[in-house]
Amino acid sequence: MASLASFFCSLSMMIFLFAAPGRGTKNCFIDSIYSFGDSIADTGNLLRQGAVGMFAPIGRFPYGKTMNNATGRCSDGLLMIDYFALNLNLPLVDPYLLEGADFRSGVNFAVAGSTALDSSFFLQRSIVTPVANKPLSVQLQWFKTHLNSTCSSPTECSRKLEHALILMGEIGGNDYNNAFFQGTSIDSVKSFVPQVVDRIVSAAKEVIDAGAVQLVIPGNFPIGCMPSYLTMFYSSNPSDYDDNNCLKDYNSFAMYHNQQLQAATEKLRQSYPKVTLMYADYYQAFMYLLNNAAKLGFDKDSVHEACCGAGGTYNFDIKLMCGLPGTSTCSDPTKYISWDGIHLTQEAYKTMAQALIMQGFAFPNHNIHNQWKC
């Protein structure tokens, strides 16, 4: 199984860098990152657009507590995209909506709360999406607008993207979260998985057609292990839980999405044999984190609890999100996997990113390291 290390410059760069980031290695094949997605990858777009509702607190402490700066990231610190950039010796990727940003090393189009499908799809099904939703269609338009403003021709854009790593998410999680949290049944939500998957893969195709040759398409997390789901869909029936005390049905749903996405990614790969198209298994990377929590330095008794929340078994209340009056924050976020019940801590994201790069939670099954060496 090829790992995401295949994307990076050399074996010597596989150890994470914690110093202040600088310009990329001069001769490294990858010199920029372009990212799409939701709150798992958003480095500040929603904050600049106007964070409201459950996202309102992300622009102030305790968000950003560990990095001592509330940047709009939905965590106490850095995200996986940040660790990918650091591992490539690139600057952290600035959000598209940041005025005066230096986009020479890439652009982040991800917006917290975003869906893969357009809001109209959910409106037809009486499922409410955030007013600030910037679905993949909007993020793709931002991407094209950016290219048009920085390239003089499609050929120049294509050459520019040849040296870029494209992260297609994580995206699609909110398509399901919005539906589940509003009472839609698993069977009903399952019915629109094909549309979500098709939108992700068709977006990847558009980026490839623009000239991209190195893409990562991430799968969904095991949502049945998240404090938000464990709280909102609590069951008194022990058979509803697996050996990790996660909700079986919701994890099965996540696996169904991932299976469909992997199959669609493989078809896309066959259509573009010269493009390196990797599926990043966020599900198994998270399970690696959960199953090895104590060895990795996390508090084994708090693996299903949010660091920041309003109490209860899992320290989560959808009506009283982290940062609002009445909530409190754990003293040491590095011991927790979950930050606010929905998003992970910096330490958990770091561990997951490291696992994705080093532990082989990526496909396809061939070694392509020589294509990416410096």
Side-chain angles (χ1 to χ4, degrees), residues 44-229:
N45 280 316
L46 180 62
L47 182 63
R48 285 158 181 83
Q49 180 179 284
V52 296
M54 65 183 296
F55 288 103
I58 65 173
R60 60 179 185 267
F61 290 122
Y63 283 87
K65 173 182 177 179
T66 299
M67 61 190 301
N68 200 32
N69 186 13
T71 61
R73 290 169 171 81
C74 293
S75 181
D76 62 305
L78 299 177
L79 311 178
M80 280 189 284
I81 181 177
D82 298 314
Y83 286 107
F84 293 154
L86 291 172
N87 199 92
L88 284 165
N89 199 25
L90 294 172
L92 302 185
V93 187
D94 283 332
Y96 177 69
L97 298 180
L98 176 61
E99 292 185 10
D102 181 355
F103 291 139
R104 287 177 297 171
S105 296
V107 189
N108 191 352
F109 303 102
V111 183
S114 292
T115 56
L117 300 173
D118 289 347
S119 296
S120 58
F121 175 90
F122 301 100
L123 182 62
Q124 294 169 4
R125 291 158 178 79
S126 300
I127 298 170
V128 178
T129 56
V131 175
N133 184 26
K134 289 295 182 287
L136 261 180
S137 59
V138 172
Q139 295 181 29
L140 280 169
Q141 188 55 55
W142 286 354
F143 171 73
K144 294 172 184 177
T145 298
H146 170 74
L147 288 183
N148 290 336
S149 68
T150 56
C151 305
S152 60
S153 68
T155 301
E156 183 183 346
C157 285
S158 182
R159 285 199 298 266
K160 181 184 183 74
L161 293 175
E162 283 180 1
H163 296 276
L165 174 62
I166 311 296
L167 302 176
M168 298 302 304
E170 189 269 347
I171 191 75
N174 289 318
D175 298 62
Y176 307 137
N177 292 341
N178 292 330
F180 284 136
F181 292 172
Q182 292 172 51
T184 309
S185 70
I186 291 179
D187 286 342
S188 295
V189 179
K190 202 171 183 179
S191 70
F192 57 79
V193 168
Q195 290 99 314
V196 172
V197 168
D198 180 71
R199 188 68 195 98
I200 296 170
V201 174
S202 63
K205 183 179 183 299
E206 287 189 55
V207 175
I208 292 171
D209 289 340
V213 295
Q214 303 153 111
L215 290 84
V216 175
I217 298 181
N220 203 349
F221 287 79
I223 55 177
C225 299
M226 301 299 173
S228 53
Y229 277 79

